[in-house]
Amino acid sequence: MRILLVEDDDMIGSAVMTFLKQEGQAIDWSHDVEEARLGLASESYDVILLDLGLPDGSGLDILTSQRRRGDHTPVVILTARDAVADRIAGLDLGADDYLIKPFDLDELSARMRAVHRRRHGRADTWLKRGQLALNPATHECLWQGSNIALSAKEFTLLQQLLEQPSCVLSRGQLEETLYGWGEEIESNAVEVHIHNLRKKLARDVIRTIRGVGYILGQNL
């Protein structure tokens, strides 16, 4: 997933960034409303993690703008405002979840997976196609009934292909799910991960569409 974190607290932001990067997620960190709006104008995100008390405004203004534009990107509010009225206001303005600080990072990750599943109309925690199955909650990969160990970025890349099994994804689209702002992207990073996945699973698990990108194989 590519995630936008909107958070002005350095300690909380750093902890969330480190944790989600270790899970293989691409995450961009905005410290205020203005920076967040610039990010939303230039990137497409799978989940937005939104603080409310920002130095130049309220996170609710960002949320309101997103929903008025018809942007349905899942939003999880992260805030110290624990009053019932605040929670109701956030959810009624279009947030998908509301988490009170301090929060457990594993719980945050689970809530992100839940809103992401709902966005894609899934209830099952497993992503399945033929003999291939992934569990984003446990990072398990099953191929032909056997557990296969994948690196965090290999898992993320394969998850992206499984979530859009009928789509050809370009190298640029796949890079966006692997690297956030300021991260150095090696020119052949996607090709290396695809090569490793084919080696661990099977050659025809991922097809190359020359000049376009990659798609899951037809006969999994």
Side-chain angles (χ1 to χ4, degrees):
M1 285 193 286
R2 190 176 183 106
I3 299 151
L4 177 64
L5 169 66
V6 188
E7 172 60 71
D8 67 326
D9 185 300
D10 287 339
M11 188 172 70
I12 294 174
S14 295
V16 172
M17 284 278 287
T18 300
F19 181 82
L20 294 179
K21 279 187 175 182
Q22 286 173 347
E23 287 195 333
Q25 316 287 6
I27 178 165
D28 300 333
W29 182 5
S30 297
H31 295 73
D32 54 41
V33 173
E34 180 64 22
E35 201 173 16
R37 285 183 168 151
L38 289 174
L40 289 165
S42 60
E43 304 286 351
S44 178
Y45 293 98
D46 295 298
V47 175
I48 299 170
L49 304 177
L50 185 62
D51 186 17
L52 297 185
L54 297 167
D56 58 346
S58 170
L60 291 179
D61 294 336
I62 299 173
L63 175 61
T64 302
S65 299
Q66 286 292 102
R67 296 307 185 233
R68 282 180 179 167
R69 286 202 305 273
D71 186 331
H72 301 301
T73 303
V75 172
V76 179
I77 289 178
L78 308 177
T79 182
R81 300 178 188 174
D82 59 356
V84 172
D86 289 324
R87 282 180 266 168
I88 291 172
L91 294 168
D92 280 348
L93 282 173
D96 299 85
D97 203 349
Y98 196 104
L99 194 55
I100 305 294
K101 298 176 181 175
F103 50 81
D104 183 275
L105 290 169
D106 286 318
E107 182 182 359
L108 170 63
S109 185
R111 288 175 183 253
M112 289 169 52
R113 288 192 296 272
V115 299
H116 186 63
R117 282 198 307 272
R118 287 202 293 271
R119 184 192 186 195
H120 289 273
R122 292 190 294 110
D124 192 349
T125 55
W126 284 85
L127 282 161
K128 300 173 184 172
R129 187 171 178 86
Q131 300 180 83
L132 178 63
L134 290 186
N135 188 331
T138 60
H139 272 228
E140 288 177 277
C141 172
L142 293 179
W143 169 243
Q144 297 180 333
S146 298
N147 271 297
I148 305 296
L150 301 180
S151 71
K153 291 202 180 299
E154 289 166 2
F155 191 96
T156 298
L157 193 152
L158 192 58
Q159 179 181 348
Q160 195 68 17
L161 289 167
L162 259 171
E163 287 178 339
Q164 303 173 78
S166 302
C167 297
V168 178
L169 300 181
S170 68
R171 187 175 74 173
Q173 287 175 302
L174 293 173
E175 284 175 345
E176 287 177 1
T177 68
L178 298 176
Y179 300 95
W181 294 340
E183 290 187 84
E184 185 176 350
I185 304 173
E186 295 180 15
S187 60
N188 63 343
V190 168
E191 286 83 353
V192 169
H193 293 312
I194 296 282
H195 171 79
N196 290 338
L197 285 167
R198 286 171 171 160
K199 194 173 178 181
K200 292 179 178 180
L201 303 173
R203 175 79 192 163
D204 57 357
V205 162
I206 300 171
R207 293 170 56 210
T208 301
I209 308 299
R210 192 174 298 278
V212 183
Y214 302 93
I215 188 171
L216 283 181
Q218 293 177 323
N219 302 309
L220 298 183

